[in-house]
PDB file of all heavy atoms in Angstrom:
ATOM      1  N   LEU A   1      18.093 -14.007   0.022  1.00  0.00           N
ATOM      2  CA  LEU A   1      17.484 -15.327   0.071  1.00  0.00           C
ATOM      3  C   LEU A   1      16.117 -15.239   0.873  1.00  0.00           C
ATOM      4  O   LEU A   1      15.161 -15.835   0.520  1.00  0.00           O
ATOM      5  CB  LEU A   1      18.460 -16.366   0.812  1.00  0.00           C
ATOM      6  CG  LEU A   1      17.885 -17.716   1.114  1.00  0.00           C
ATOM      7  CD1 LEU A   1      17.336 -18.396  -0.233  1.00  0.00           C
ATOM      8  CD2 LEU A   1      18.938 -18.648   1.750  1.00  0.00           C
ATOM      9  N   ALA A   2      16.126 -14.482   1.982  1.00  0.00           N
ATOM     10  CA  ALA A   2      14.925 -14.339   2.784  1.00  0.00           C
ATOM     11  C   ALA A   2      13.782 -13.732   1.892  1.00  0.00           C
ATOM     12  O   ALA A   2      12.697 -14.100   1.924  1.00  0.00           O
ATOM     13  CB  ALA A   2      15.191 -13.404   3.942  1.00  0.00           C
ATOM     14  N   GLU A   3      14.152 -12.675   1.070  1.00  0.00           N
ATOM     15  CA  GLU A   3      13.231 -12.067   0.146  1.00  0.00           C
ATOM     16  C   GLU A   3      12.779 -13.056  -0.907  1.00  0.00           C
ATOM     17  O   GLU A   3      11.599 -12.983  -1.248  1.00  0.00           O
ATOM     18  CB  GLU A   3      13.804 -10.803  -0.487  1.00  0.00           C
ATOM     19  CG  GLU A   3      14.020  -9.736   0.534  1.00  0.00           C
ATOM     20  CD  GLU A   3      14.860  -8.610   0.038  1.00  0.00           C
ATOM     21  OE1 GLU A   3      15.589  -8.706  -1.019  1.00  0.00           O
ATOM     22  OE2 GLU A   3      14.938  -7.539   0.657  1.00  0.00           O
ATOM     23  N   ARG A   4      13.603 -13.926  -1.390  1.00  0.00           N
ATOM     24  CA  ARG A   4      13.242 -14.930  -2.348  1.00  0.00           C
ATOM     25  C   ARG A   4      12.237 -15.987  -1.716  1.00  0.00           C
ATOM     26  O   ARG A   4      11.274 -16.370  -2.370  1.00  0.00           O
ATOM     27  CB  ARG A   4      14.440 -15.710  -2.963  1.00  0.00           C
ATOM     28  CG  ARG A   4      15.168 -14.856  -3.974  1.00  0.00           C
ATOM     29  CD  ARG A   4      16.135 -15.700  -4.824  1.00  0.00           C
ATOM     30  NE  ARG A   4      17.132 -16.407  -4.028  1.00  0.00           N
ATOM     31  CZ  ARG A   4      18.247 -15.948  -3.685  1.00  0.00           C
ATOM     32  NH1 ARG A   4      18.683 -14.695  -4.000  1.00  0.00           N
ATOM     33  NH2 ARG A   4      19.116 -16.679  -2.960  1.00  0.00           N
ATOM     34  N   LEU A   5      12.472 -16.318  -0.470  1.00  0.00           N
ATOM     35  CA  LEU A   5      11.575 -17.167   0.234  1.00  0.00           C
ATOM     36  C   LEU A   5      10.198 -16.568   0.301  1.00  0.00           C
ATOM     37  O   LEU A   5       9.136 -17.213   0.101  1.00  0.00           O
ATOM     38  CB  LEU A   5      12.103 -17.530   1.625  1.00  0.00           C
ATOM     39  CG  LEU A   5      13.218 -18.550   1.704  1.00  0.00           C
ATOM     40  CD1 LEU A   5      13.885 -18.547   3.054  1.00  0.00           C
ATOM     41  CD2 LEU A   5      12.760 -19.953   1.352  1.00  0.00           C
ATOM     42  N   LEU A   6      10.142 -15.230   0.635  1.00  0.00           N
ATOM     43  CA  LEU A   6       8.824 -14.563   0.679  1.00  0.00           C
ATOM     44  C   LEU A   6       8.160 -14.458  -0.689  1.00  0.00           C
ATOM     45  O   LEU A   6       6.969 -14.667  -0.842  1.00  0.00           O
ATOM     46  CB  LEU A   6       9.007 -13.246   1.299  1.00  0.00           C
ATOM     47  CG  LEU A   6       9.024 -13.116   2.799  1.00  0.00           C
ATOM     48  CD1 LEU A   6       9.293 -11.674   3.246  1.00  0.00           C
ATOM     49  CD2 LEU A   6       7.732 -13.604   3.378  1.00  0.00           C
ATOM     50  N   ALA A   7       8.965 -14.265  -1.723  1.00  0.00           N
ATOM     51  CA  ALA A   7       8.409 -14.182  -3.030  1.00  0.00           C
ATOM     52  C   ALA A   7       7.868 -15.568  -3.436  1.00  0.00           C
ATOM     53  O   ALA A   7       6.801 -15.634  -4.110  1.00  0.00           O
ATOM     54  CB  ALA A   7       9.509 -13.761  -4.039  1.00  0.00           C
ATOM     55  N   THR A   8       8.559 -16.502  -3.114  1.00  0.00           N
ATOM     56  CA  THR A   8       8.027 -17.915  -3.395  1.00  0.00           C
ATOM     57  C   THR A   8       6.755 -18.208  -2.663  1.00  0.00           C
ATOM     58  O   THR A   8       5.844 -18.799  -3.185  1.00  0.00           O
ATOM     59  CB  THR A   8       9.163 -18.980  -3.058  1.00  0.00           C
ATOM     60  OG1 THR A   8      10.326 -18.718  -3.850  1.00  0.00           O
ATOM     61  CG2 THR A   8       8.672 -20.351  -3.390  1.00  0.00           C
ATOM     62  N   ALA A   9       6.728 -17.737  -1.392  1.00  0.00           N
ATOM     63  CA  ALA A   9       5.531 -17.907  -0.566  1.00  0.00           C
ATOM     64  C   ALA A   9       4.340 -17.235  -1.275  1.00  0.00           C
ATOM     65  O   ALA A   9       3.239 -17.800  -1.269  1.00  0.00           O
ATOM     66  CB  ALA A   9       5.755 -17.360   0.784  1.00  0.00           C
ATOM     67  N   ARG A  10       4.570 -16.052  -1.727  1.00  0.00           N
ATOM     68  CA  ARG A  10       3.499 -15.335  -2.437  1.00  0.00           C
ATOM     69  C   ARG A  10       3.039 -16.033  -3.685  1.00  0.00           C
ATOM     70  O   ARG A  10       1.843 -16.149  -4.022  1.00  0.00           O
ATOM     71  CB  ARG A  10       3.920 -13.936  -2.779  1.00  0.00           C
ATOM     72  CG  ARG A  10       4.073 -13.015  -1.562  1.00  0.00           C
ATOM     73  CD  ARG A  10       3.693 -11.615  -1.777  1.00  0.00           C
ATOM     74  NE  ARG A  10       3.893 -10.856  -0.555  1.00  0.00           N
ATOM     75  CZ  ARG A  10       3.027 -10.704   0.367  1.00  0.00           C
ATOM     76  NH1 ARG A  10       1.835 -11.334   0.245  1.00  0.00           N
ATOM     77  NH2 ARG A  10       3.312 -10.013   1.421  1.00  0.00           N
ATOM     78  N   GLN A  11       3.970 -16.629  -4.376  1.00  0.00           N
ATOM     79  CA  GLN A  11       3.565 -17.405  -5.570  1.00  0.00           C
ATOM     80  C   GLN A  11       2.778 -18.607  -5.153  1.00  0.00           C
ATOM     81  O   GLN A  11       1.845 -19.039  -5.878  1.00  0.00           O
ATOM     82  CB  GLN A  11       4.871 -17.838  -6.385  1.00  0.00           C
ATOM     83  CG  GLN A  11       4.514 -18.607  -7.637  1.00  0.00           C
ATOM     84  CD  GLN A  11       3.665 -17.785  -8.625  1.00  0.00           C
ATOM     85  OE1 GLN A  11       4.013 -16.639  -8.913  1.00  0.00           O
ATOM     86  NE2 GLN A  11       2.609 -18.348  -9.075  1.00  0.00           N
ATOM     87  N   HIS A  12       3.130 -19.228  -4.071  1.00  0.00           N
ATOM     88  CA  HIS A  12       2.435 -20.411  -3.613  1.00  0.00           C
ATOM     89  C   HIS A  12       0.898 -20.048  -3.298  1.00  0.00           C
ATOM     90  O   HIS A  12       0.001 -20.819  -3.523  1.00  0.00           O
ATOM     91  CB  HIS A  12       3.078 -20.982  -2.385  1.00  0.00           C
ATOM     92  CG  HIS A  12       4.319 -21.782  -2.622  1.00  0.00           C
ATOM     93  ND1 HIS A  12       4.662 -22.322  -3.894  1.00  0.00           N
ATOM     94  CD2 HIS A  12       5.335 -22.124  -1.775  1.00  0.00           C
ATOM     95  CE1 HIS A  12       5.803 -22.932  -3.828  1.00  0.00           C
ATOM     96  NE2 HIS A  12       6.254 -22.829  -2.545  1.00  0.00           N
ATOM     97  N   LEU A  13       0.750 -18.849  -2.705  1.00  0.00           N
ATOM     98  CA  LEU A  13      -0.592 -18.397  -2.468  1.00  0.00           C
ATOM     99  C   LEU A  13      -1.419 -18.239  -3.720  1.00  0.00           C
ATOM    100  O   LEU A  13      -2.609 -18.677  -3.750  1.00  0.00           O
ATOM    101  CB  LEU A  13      -0.574 -16.994  -1.694  1.00  0.00           C
ATOM    102  CG  LEU A  13       0.082 -17.051  -0.331  1.00  0.00           C
ATOM    103  CD1 LEU A  13       0.170 -15.641   0.154  1.00  0.00           C
ATOM    104  CD2 LEU A  13      -0.784 -17.945   0.614  1.00  0.00           C
ATOM    105  N   LEU A  14      -0.773 -17.698  -4.756  1.00  0.00           N
ATOM    106  CA  LEU A  14      -1.500 -17.575  -6.091  1.00  0.00           C
ATOM    107  C   LEU A  14      -1.738 -18.956  -6.605  1.00  0.00           C
ATOM    108  O   LEU A  14      -2.876 -19.193  -7.145  1.00  0.00           O
ATOM    109  CB  LEU A  14      -0.622 -16.777  -7.025  1.00  0.00           C
ATOM    110  CG  LEU A  14      -0.429 -15.304  -6.723  1.00  0.00           C
ATOM    111  CD1 LEU A  14       0.641 -14.668  -7.664  1.00  0.00           C
ATOM    112  CD2 LEU A  14      -1.659 -14.508  -6.763  1.00  0.00           C
ATOM    113  N   SER A  15      -0.850 -19.858  -6.499  1.00  0.00           N
ATOM    114  CA  SER A  15      -1.029 -21.193  -6.936  1.00  0.00           C
ATOM    115  C   SER A  15      -2.238 -21.899  -6.185  1.00  0.00           C
ATOM    116  O   SER A  15      -2.998 -22.597  -6.809  1.00  0.00           O
ATOM    117  CB  SER A  15       0.163 -22.099  -6.803  1.00  0.00           C
ATOM    118  OG  SER A  15       1.223 -21.503  -7.636  1.00  0.00           O
ATOM    119  N   ALA A  16      -2.233 -21.662  -4.906  1.00  0.00           N
ATOM    120  CA  ALA A  16      -3.311 -22.296  -4.074  1.00  0.00           C
ATOM    121  C   ALA A  16      -4.667 -21.814  -4.547  1.00  0.00           C
ATOM    122  O   ALA A  16      -5.641 -22.587  -4.661  1.00  0.00           O
ATOM    123  CB  ALA A  16      -3.120 -22.008  -2.639  1.00  0.00           C
ATOM    124  N   GLU A  17      -4.713 -20.499  -4.799  1.00  0.00           N
ATOM    125  CA  GLU A  17      -6.036 -19.928  -5.238  1.00  0.00           C
ATOM    126  C   GLU A  17      -6.457 -20.528  -6.664  1.00  0.00           C
ATOM    127  O   GLU A  17      -7.577 -20.892  -6.813  1.00  0.00           O
ATOM    128  CB  GLU A  17      -5.945 -18.496  -5.251  1.00  0.00           C
ATOM    129  CG  GLU A  17      -7.245 -17.750  -5.570  1.00  0.00           C
ATOM    130  CD  GLU A  17      -7.180 -16.262  -5.307  1.00  0.00           C
ATOM    131  OE1 GLU A  17      -6.093 -15.649  -5.329  1.00  0.00           O
ATOM    132  OE2 GLU A  17      -8.269 -15.687  -5.163  1.00  0.00           O
ATOM    133  N   ALA A  18      -5.490 -20.641  -7.495  1.00  0.00           N
ATOM    134  CA  ALA A  18      -5.795 -21.124  -8.843  1.00  0.00           C
ATOM    135  C   ALA A  18      -6.119 -22.606  -8.813  1.00  0.00           C
ATOM    136  O   ALA A  18      -6.898 -22.983  -9.639  1.00  0.00           O
ATOM    137  CB  ALA A  18      -4.537 -20.872  -9.749  1.00  0.00           C
ATOM    138  N   LEU A  19      -5.504 -23.360  -7.907  1.00  0.00           N
ATOM    139  CA  LEU A  19      -5.786 -24.825  -7.907  1.00  0.00           C
ATOM    140  C   LEU A  19      -6.931 -25.262  -7.012  1.00  0.00           C
ATOM    141  O   LEU A  19      -7.319 -26.411  -7.018  1.00  0.00           O
ATOM    142  CB  LEU A  19      -4.509 -25.511  -7.394  1.00  0.00           C
ATOM    143  CG  LEU A  19      -3.297 -25.488  -8.371  1.00  0.00           C
ATOM    144  CD1 LEU A  19      -2.021 -25.991  -7.640  1.00  0.00           C
ATOM    145  CD2 LEU A  19      -3.623 -26.357  -9.571  1.00  0.00           C
ATOM    146  N   ALA A  20      -7.443 -24.353  -6.225  1.00  0.00           N
ATOM    147  CA  ALA A  20      -8.492 -24.781  -5.182  1.00  0.00           C
ATOM    148  C   ALA A  20      -9.611 -25.560  -5.822  1.00  0.00           C
ATOM    149  O   ALA A  20     -10.059 -26.553  -5.205  1.00  0.00           O
ATOM    150  CB  ALA A  20      -8.988 -23.468  -4.512  1.00  0.00           C
ATOM    151  N   SER A  21     -10.088 -25.179  -6.974  1.00  0.00           N
ATOM    152  CA  SER A  21     -11.282 -25.910  -7.538  1.00  0.00           C
ATOM    153  C   SER A  21     -10.896 -27.118  -8.348  1.00  0.00           C
ATOM    154  O   SER A  21     -11.740 -28.049  -8.484  1.00  0.00           O
ATOM    155  CB  SER A  21     -12.074 -24.954  -8.416  1.00  0.00           C
ATOM    156  OG  SER A  21     -11.278 -24.536  -9.533  1.00  0.00           O
ATOM    157  N   THR A  22      -9.628 -27.272  -8.756  1.00  0.00           N
ATOM    158  CA  THR A  22      -9.309 -28.408  -9.513  1.00  0.00           C
ATOM    159  C   THR A  22      -8.495 -29.465  -8.782  1.00  0.00           C
ATOM    160  O   THR A  22      -8.492 -30.691  -9.099  1.00  0.00           O
ATOM    161  CB  THR A  22      -8.561 -28.018 -10.790  1.00  0.00           C
ATOM    162  OG1 THR A  22      -7.373 -27.300 -10.398  1.00  0.00           O
ATOM    163  CG2 THR A  22      -9.463 -27.132 -11.672  1.00  0.00           C
ATOM    164  N   ASP A  23      -7.630 -29.076  -7.857  1.00  0.00           N
ATOM    165  CA  ASP A  23      -6.838 -29.995  -7.029  1.00  0.00           C
ATOM    166  C   ASP A  23      -6.667 -29.412  -5.594  1.00  0.00           C
ATOM    167  O   ASP A  23      -5.618 -28.802  -5.262  1.00  0.00           O
ATOM    168  CB  ASP A  23      -5.492 -30.121  -7.685  1.00  0.00           C
ATOM    169  CG  ASP A  23      -4.719 -31.309  -7.191  1.00  0.00           C
ATOM    170  OD1 ASP A  23      -4.951 -31.720  -5.991  1.00  0.00           O
ATOM    171  OD2 ASP A  23      -3.787 -31.834  -7.797  1.00  0.00           O
ATOM    172  N   ALA A  24      -7.687 -29.657  -4.850  1.00  0.00           N
ATOM    173  CA  ALA A  24      -7.695 -29.042  -3.478  1.00  0.00           C
ATOM    174  C   ALA A  24      -6.477 -29.496  -2.657  1.00  0.00           C
ATOM    175  O   ALA A  24      -5.922 -28.733  -1.837  1.00  0.00           O
ATOM    176  CB  ALA A  24      -8.997 -29.365  -2.784  1.00  0.00           C
ATOM    177  N   HIS A  25      -6.047 -30.741  -2.780  1.00  0.00           N
ATOM    178  CA  HIS A  25      -4.917 -31.285  -2.012  1.00  0.00           C
ATOM    179  C   HIS A  25      -3.621 -30.584  -2.324  1.00  0.00           C
ATOM    180  O   HIS A  25      -2.888 -30.154  -1.461  1.00  0.00           O
ATOM    181  CB  HIS A  25      -4.785 -32.785  -2.157  1.00  0.00           C
ATOM    182  CG  HIS A  25      -5.877 -33.561  -1.468  1.00  0.00           C
ATOM    183  ND1 HIS A  25      -5.806 -33.878  -0.089  1.00  0.00           N
ATOM    184  CD2 HIS A  25      -7.092 -34.003  -1.887  1.00  0.00           C
ATOM    185  CE1 HIS A  25      -6.861 -34.527   0.269  1.00  0.00           C
ATOM    186  NE2 HIS A  25      -7.678 -34.577  -0.801  1.00  0.00           N
ATOM    187  N   LEU A  26      -3.406 -30.346  -3.616  1.00  0.00           N
ATOM    188  CA  LEU A  26      -2.206 -29.579  -4.022  1.00  0.00           C
ATOM    189  C   LEU A  26      -2.257 -28.165  -3.656  1.00  0.00           C
ATOM    190  O   LEU A  26      -1.314 -27.608  -3.163  1.00  0.00           O
ATOM    191  CB  LEU A  26      -2.023 -29.806  -5.568  1.00  0.00           C
ATOM    192  CG  LEU A  26      -0.677 -29.267  -6.093  1.00  0.00           C
ATOM    193  CD1 LEU A  26       0.558 -29.927  -5.385  1.00  0.00           C
ATOM    194  CD2 LEU A  26      -0.593 -29.509  -7.579  1.00  0.00           C
ATOM    195  N   ALA A  27      -3.462 -27.605  -3.699  1.00  0.00           N
ATOM    196  CA  ALA A  27      -3.673 -26.209  -3.298  1.00  0.00           C
ATOM    197  C   ALA A  27      -3.342 -26.093  -1.833  1.00  0.00           C
ATOM    198  O   ALA A  27      -2.711 -25.124  -1.370  1.00  0.00           O
ATOM    199  CB  ALA A  27      -5.096 -25.758  -3.559  1.00  0.00           C
ATOM    200  N   TYR A  28      -3.801 -26.987  -1.020  1.00  0.00           N
ATOM    201  CA  TYR A  28      -3.561 -26.935   0.392  1.00  0.00           C
ATOM    202  C   TYR A  28      -2.082 -27.078   0.737  1.00  0.00           C
ATOM    203  O   TYR A  28      -1.572 -26.466   1.673  1.00  0.00           O
ATOM    204  CB  TYR A  28      -4.420 -28.032   1.108  1.00  0.00           C
ATOM    205  CG  TYR A  28      -4.892 -27.481   2.485  1.00  0.00           C
ATOM    206  CD1 TYR A  28      -6.056 -26.728   2.560  1.00  0.00           C
ATOM    207  CD2 TYR A  28      -4.191 -27.736   3.614  1.00  0.00           C
ATOM    208  CE1 TYR A  28      -6.476 -26.280   3.732  1.00  0.00           C
ATOM    209  CE2 TYR A  28      -4.568 -27.310   4.867  1.00  0.00           C
ATOM    210  CZ  TYR A  28      -5.751 -26.527   4.897  1.00  0.00           C
ATOM    211  OH  TYR A  28      -6.101 -25.948   6.145  1.00  0.00           O
ATOM    212  N   ALA A  29      -1.437 -27.965   0.012  1.00  0.00           N
ATOM    213  CA  ALA A  29       0.031 -28.141   0.193  1.00  0.00           C
ATOM    214  C   ALA A  29       0.727 -26.766  -0.079  1.00  0.00           C
ATOM    215  O   ALA A  29       1.695 -26.395   0.568  1.00  0.00           O
ATOM    216  CB  ALA A  29       0.545 -29.189  -0.691  1.00  0.00           C
ATOM    217  N   ALA A  30       0.230 -26.100  -1.084  1.00  0.00           N
ATOM    218  CA  ALA A  30       0.779 -24.783  -1.404  1.00  0.00           C
ATOM    219  C   ALA A  30       0.527 -23.793  -0.263  1.00  0.00           C
ATOM    220  O   ALA A  30       1.419 -22.972   0.024  1.00  0.00           O
ATOM    221  CB  ALA A  30       0.196 -24.267  -2.718  1.00  0.00           C
ATOM    222  N   LEU A  31      -0.601 -23.859   0.355  1.00  0.00           N
ATOM    223  CA  LEU A  31      -0.902 -22.950   1.485  1.00  0.00           C
ATOM    224  C   LEU A  31       0.109 -23.225   2.616  1.00  0.00           C
ATOM    225  O   LEU A  31       0.678 -22.340   3.216  1.00  0.00           O
ATOM    226  CB  LEU A  31      -2.263 -23.195   2.009  1.00  0.00           C
ATOM    227  CG  LEU A  31      -3.444 -22.654   1.266  1.00  0.00           C
ATOM    228  CD1 LEU A  31      -4.739 -22.943   2.007  1.00  0.00           C
ATOM    229  CD2 LEU A  31      -3.392 -21.135   1.000  1.00  0.00           C
ATOM    230  N   HIS A  32       0.265 -24.529   2.878  1.00  0.00           N
ATOM    231  CA  HIS A  32       1.179 -24.845   3.970  1.00  0.00           C
ATOM    232  C   HIS A  32       2.635 -24.446   3.663  1.00  0.00           C
ATOM    233  O   HIS A  32       3.306 -23.908   4.515  1.00  0.00           O
ATOM    234  CB  HIS A  32       1.109 -26.423   4.209  1.00  0.00           C
ATOM    235  CG  HIS A  32       2.059 -26.847   5.267  1.00  0.00           C
ATOM    236  ND1 HIS A  32       3.265 -27.493   4.976  1.00  0.00           N
ATOM    237  CD2 HIS A  32       2.082 -26.732   6.628  1.00  0.00           C
ATOM    238  CE1 HIS A  32       3.905 -27.774   6.112  1.00  0.00           C
ATOM    239  NE2 HIS A  32       3.211 -27.292   7.053  1.00  0.00           N
TER     240      HIS A  32
END
């Protein structure tokens, strides 16, 4: 479960980067 949480965190980082230019608020929520 801890490893899945980290994998999800990494996916959120990718999502934040992809969304930064189109939806900064959602991207920032992904960073958090």
Side-chain angles (χ1 to χ4, degrees):
L1 177 56
E3 290 169 347
R4 282 195 305 273
L5 285 166
L6 276 175
T8 302
R10 290 212 182 277
Q11 183 59 51
H12 287 339
L13 295 174
L14 294 173
S15 296
E17 189 169 18
L19 291 168
S21 64
T22 59
D23 191 341
H25 287 274
L26 189 56
Y28 215 85
L31 287 182
H32 178 256

